[in-house]
Amino acid sequence: MVDTTVLRDGLRFGEAPRHGPDGRLFYSDFYAHEVRALDLDTGAEEIVCTVPEQPSGSGWLPDGRLLVVSMKDRTVRRLEGGALVLHADLGGIATFHANDMLVDGAGRAYVGNFGFDLHSAIAAGGEAPMLEPGWVAPGTPLALVQPDGTVSKAADDLKFPNGMGFLPSREGEPRTLIVAETLAFGLTAFDVAADGTLSNRRVWASLREHFIAPDGIATDDEGGVWVAPALQPSVFRVREGGEITHKVETSQNCFAVALIGRRLVCCTAPSSQPEVVSVDRLGKLEVFDL
């Protein structure tokens, strides 16, 4: 039984939903090459910018300027006066298409990448080989982009670093960053230093037994992580150690999630394969009231 209601359909492939500083839902549509903003109360929507090399993650600098990942040329772009300009070149770090991004309050951005040509591998041999416990995905770095566009490695050897989120901070303890390692079937935690550098890497939740290849994630105020499982028409809420506390069923596979107030927004599609979703408008935004 589907728990969600359809907020908007006719997308190609929706990704990276974000709660914008103006209260609207911002999201990318990969194969329409657009970043859009949607008012959840009125339904009014606008195209914020067009990204020829395919948009993914987005976020904002402290002064409100939008940052967006340009996937195929492995860059982060900045919206200046209605035009996208180069903010950071990830070519020295990203080993394939750049993907999701998390921007902190200081304007530092963490950016993941595919690590290899996943879509071609699936087209050639299907998903089954990647689901075998003995299969190991190629490792790739996570990039850290400073507010001035300087790029460095934040961490190395991640298995398709994807959605990210910060857990609620506890007084006297370092901030915790959660990274979804899609092809490691788990959530990985890091301590975050004041300058944004990462340390103390550890497994936060192993999810292979639940057939969850975590794609997009959203953290909540209670320290839970809402996970889009990519291979299932559901969203799961996970606690540290892997306990699942909630399951929300969607109409098709869920690839990304956001918490907008007490609403869970889900980006869904029948597949992530370009030959399927770049042609037909099968993607949806679905919503569930928590």
Side-chain angles (χ1 to χ4, degrees), residues 162-188:
N162 214 325
M164 290 167 278
F166 294 112
L167 293 180
S169 299
R170 298 173 182 173
E171 188 174 354
E173 296 183 4
R175 197 176 198 185
T176 299
L177 172 70
I178 302 294
V179 181
E181 288 194 70
T182 302
L183 294 178
F185 288 81
L187 302 175
T188 299

Side-chain angles (χ1 to χ4, degrees), residues 11-22:
L11 282 62
R12 295 192 189 277
F13 188 79
E15 258 281 16
R18 300 285 187 267
H19 191 182
D22 61 5

Side-chain angles (χ1 to χ4, degrees), residues 12-18 26-36 47-59 66-77 84 97-101 111 114:
R12 295 192 189 277
F13 188 79
E15 258 281 16
R18 300 285 187 267
F26 284 70
Y27 69 96
S28 295
D29 190 333
F30 273 17
Y31 304 114
H33 303 280
E34 296 168 348
V35 177
R36 299 173 182 157
I47 298 172
V48 177
C49 60
T50 299
V51 183
E53 294 298 318
Q54 203 167 293
S56 185
S58 61
L66 177 72
L67 300 179
V68 59
V69 169
S70 180
M71 296 180 67
K72 292 184 176 181
D73 61 357
R74 306 180 202 182
T75 63
V76 177
R77 301 282 164 168
L84 285 177
H97 293 345
N99 193 22
D100 217 334
M101 175 171 67
V111 190
F114 282 35

Side-chain angles (χ1 to χ4, degrees), residues 7 16-27 35-49 58 60 66 79 258-261 263 265 285:
L7 183 65
R18 300 285 187 267
H19 191 182
D22 61 5
R24 293 185 297 173
L25 170 71
F26 284 70
Y27 69 96
V35 177
R36 299 173 182 157
L38 174 66
D39 188 312
L40 294 178
D41 295 319
T42 67
E45 186 176 51
E46 70 164 320
I47 298 172
V48 177
C49 60
S58 61
W60 290 266
L66 177 72
L79 190 60
L259 290 172
I260 311 292
R263 287 177 284 197
V265 179
L285 294 178

Side-chain angles (χ1 to χ4, degrees), residues 1-7 235 248-252 264 266 268 285-289:
M1 179 179 177
V2 175
D3 298 313
T4 56
T5 56
V6 176
L7 183 65
V235 180
V248 176
E249 297 197 15
T250 54
S251 70
Q252 49 189 354
L264 181 70
C266 313
T268 71
L285 294 178
E286 304 182 34
V287 65
F288 177 76
D289 291 328

Side-chain angles (χ1 to χ4, degrees), residues 167-168 178 180 185-188 203-229 232 234-248 257 259 264:
L167 293 180
I178 302 294
F185 288 81
L187 302 175
T188 299
V203 175
W204 195 81
S206 179
L207 301 171
R208 185 179 289 273
E209 67 177 294
H210 302 293
F211 195 56
I212 296 173
D215 194 327
I217 65 171
T219 56
D220 64 29
D221 292 340
E222 290 75 45
V225 179
W226 293 86
V227 178
Q232 301 182 53
S234 306
V235 180
F236 298 90
R237 183 181 183 272
V238 180
R239 292 179 58 86
E240 186 173 9
E243 177 193 2
I244 293 176
T245 63
H246 297 74
K247 178 181 180 181
V248 176
V257 291
L259 290 172
L264 181 70

